[in-house]
């Protein structure tokens, strides 16, 4: 999810050297890191794989969900990123940015009519910014996400505009996306990531705005993904949706798009209420646009009203989605790109839709 604008911002801040153009498996110049490859057949192990994978180039933990705060219905997003810059690893300084941690948080409130957004960034180290290995334990100043011994996830973000202190309790096991967690993102096998999802997380906690704290409850979704490879050269961005289904199932669908809006690759999964999982091939997934919204700030035009179609053994299934409200554009410059990240609902489902590469092509 880090794009050209994100890289430009990090380079300008002196935290990152220009990214390596090496493909997976190529030998880097002396002193630069050799990024770990993503390979099929690698078994994901928990709780270790809830934690960080610092040998890989990039990684994110992405939580989205719907909250009820009294009579108000809200959406929220909390995302932590870890990236390993292509810097000279022989630098002995404790201040060398061997790992960068950054994070986004956003609140979708229809009464406000646009996202309330906050973000942070720091080089890893000194206990102020860390992504621990072995289990989920993320720290970025006074933001954090950790898994406790009871398998409950605790997430905290604090900013001038809002603060969230949430407990996310699993009600279902994780879903290993793709081939047992090996998830293709392009026509070449090396264009892949390790990827799992954790749907139907029960949410409880507090939301603070304008000095007023209110109890919230709801349901959320966690995606955790890590990789070292670039997208296909034709790709400019992707569309992704994760839906908690009211009947207890969960739908993941994505497509990586080219400049003409055609799918370079597509995939996802459907888990039914009994726990059976269908893994989609590229030809099984389609995003059909019913309506667009143009940002008054960036001029980007987003297809926010979508039909998501997936082919299963029982035939074609369609979810007709509508946003909680139109203006859920997230402008994370200079740390990250501009993209649409919004709460959506429809056809017995609630979740989040992510639309990237519409304001400018992503470079990842």
């Amino acid at each position: 999810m880090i794009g050209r604008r994100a890289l430009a911002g990090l380079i300008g801040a002196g935290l990152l050297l220009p990214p390596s153009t090496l493909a997976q498996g190529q030998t880097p110049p002396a002193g630069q890191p050799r990024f770990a490859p993503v390979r099929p057949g690698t078994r994901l192990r928990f709780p270790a794989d809830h934690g960080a994978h610092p040998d890989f180039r990039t990684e994110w933990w992405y939580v989205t969900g719907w909250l009820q705060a009294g009579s108000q219905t809200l959406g929220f997003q909390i995302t932590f990123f870890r990236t390993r810059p292509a810097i000279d690893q022989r630098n002995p300084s404790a201040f060398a940015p061997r790992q960068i941690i950054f994070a986004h948080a956003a609140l979708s409130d229809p009464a406000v009519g646009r996202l309330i957004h906050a973000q942070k960034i720091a080089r890893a180290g000194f206990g102020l910014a860390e992504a621990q290995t072995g289990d989920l334990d993320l720290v970025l100043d006074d933001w954090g996400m950790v898994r406790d011994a009871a398998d409950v996830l605790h997430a905290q973000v604090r900013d001038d505009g809002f603060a969230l202190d949430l407990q996310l309790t699993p009600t279902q096991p994780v879903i290993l996306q793709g081939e047992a967690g090996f998830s293709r993102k392009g026509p070449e096998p090396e264009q892949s990531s390790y990827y799992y999802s954790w749907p139907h997380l029960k949410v409880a906690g507090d939301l603070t705005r304008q000095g007023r704290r209110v109890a919230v409850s709801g349901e959320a979704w966690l995606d955790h993904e890590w990789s070292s490879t670039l997208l296909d050269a034709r790709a400019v961005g992707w569309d992704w949706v994760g839906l908690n289904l009211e009947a207890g199932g969960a739908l993941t669908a994505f497509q990586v798009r080219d400049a003409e809006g055609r799918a370079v690759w597509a995939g996802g999964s459907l888990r039914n209420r009994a726990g059976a999982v269908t893994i989609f091939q590229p030809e099984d997934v389609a995003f059909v646009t019913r309506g667009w919204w143009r940002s008054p700030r960036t001029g980007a035009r987003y297809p926010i009203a979508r039909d998501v179609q997936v082919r299963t053994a029982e035939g074609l299934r369609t979810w007709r989605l509508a946003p909680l409200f139109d203006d859920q554009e997230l402008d994370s410059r200079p740390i990250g790109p501009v993209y649409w990240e919004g709460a959506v609902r429809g056809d017995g489902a609630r979740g989040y839709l992510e639309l990237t590469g519409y304001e400018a092509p992503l470079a990842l």
Side-chain angles (χ1 to χ4, degrees), residues 16-192:
L16 193 64
L17 296 182
S20 170
T21 57
L22 293 172
Q24 201 169 243
Q26 286 184 288
T27 301
Q32 288 198 8
R34 183 190 295 271
F35 298 114
V38 176
R39 295 193 175 101
T42 300
R43 182 181 175 188
L44 299 191
R45 299 178 183 274
F46 300 100
D49 280 319
H50 293 316
H53 302 81
D55 292 338
F56 291 81
R57 185 168 180 257
T58 189
E59 182 168 20
W60 57 75
W61 297 259
Y62 169 67
V63 177
T64 57
W66 285 61
L67 298 175
Q68 201 65 36
S71 61
Q72 288 185 296
T73 299
L74 311 169
F76 80 95
Q77 180 231 131
I78 301 172
T79 309
F80 284 82
F81 304 84
R82 178 205 55 78
T83 188
R84 187 182 184 195
I87 70 164
D88 190 338
Q89 299 295 296
R90 298 168 298 185
N91 186 336
S93 172
F95 293 93
R98 295 182 179 85
Q99 301 279 342
I100 303 296
I101 310 296
F102 58 110
H104 296 166
L107 197 65
S108 291
D109 184 350
V112 175
R114 58 180 290 182
L115 288 189
I116 305 169
H117 171 235
Q119 59 190 35
K120 290 196 174 195
I121 185 170
R123 70 193 74 199
F126 307 102
L128 300 176
E130 304 286 353
Q132 301 290 348
T133 61
D135 206 341
L136 177 60
D137 190 353
L138 306 167
V139 173
L140 182 52
D141 193 15
D142 57 350
W143 293 24
M145 190 184 303
V146 64
R147 190 188 74 93
D148 69 19
D151 213 24
V152 177
L153 313 183
H154 300 265
Q156 302 88 30
V157 298
R158 295 175 178 85
D159 189 69
D160 292 341
F162 69 100
L164 287 166
D165 189 348
L166 303 177
Q167 297 79 52
L168 303 100
T169 303
T171 64
Q172 299 181 1
V174 302
I175 299 172
L176 301 182
Q177 300 288 354
E179 302 170 20
F182 174 80
S183 175
R184 294 274 295 271
K185 297 300 189 296
E188 302 300 326
E190 62 268 20
Q191 296 164 347
S192 302

Side-chain angles (χ1 to χ4, degrees), residues 173-245:
V174 302
I175 299 172
L176 301 182
Q177 300 288 354
E179 302 170 20
F182 174 80
S183 175
R184 294 274 295 271
K185 297 300 189 296
E188 302 300 326
E190 62 268 20
Q191 296 164 347
S192 302
S193 66
Y194 295 122
Y195 178 20
Y196 68 87
S197 303
W198 213 344
H200 288 286
L201 298 168
K202 182 180 178 181
V203 183
D206 297 309
L207 164 66
T208 302
R209 283 194 291 178
Q210 299 176 335
R212 180 170 173 264
R213 188 172 67 179
V214 297
V216 294
S217 60
E219 193 170 49
W221 176 296
L222 167 71
D223 267 6
H224 183 193
E225 194 162 3
W226 59 101
S227 180
S228 293
T229 55
L230 306 176
L231 293 175
D232 188 271
R234 296 169 291 165
V236 300
W238 61 78
D239 305 335
W240 170 94
V241 67
L243 298 175
N244 285 319
L245 308 182

Side-chain angles (χ1 to χ4, degrees), residues 281-298:
Q281 300 303 309
E283 62 272 16
D284 297 330
V285 177
F287 286 77
V288 179
T289 301
R290 303 190 328 273
W292 297 77
W293 172 79
R294 186 180 296 277
S295 167
R297 295 174 298 278
T298 66

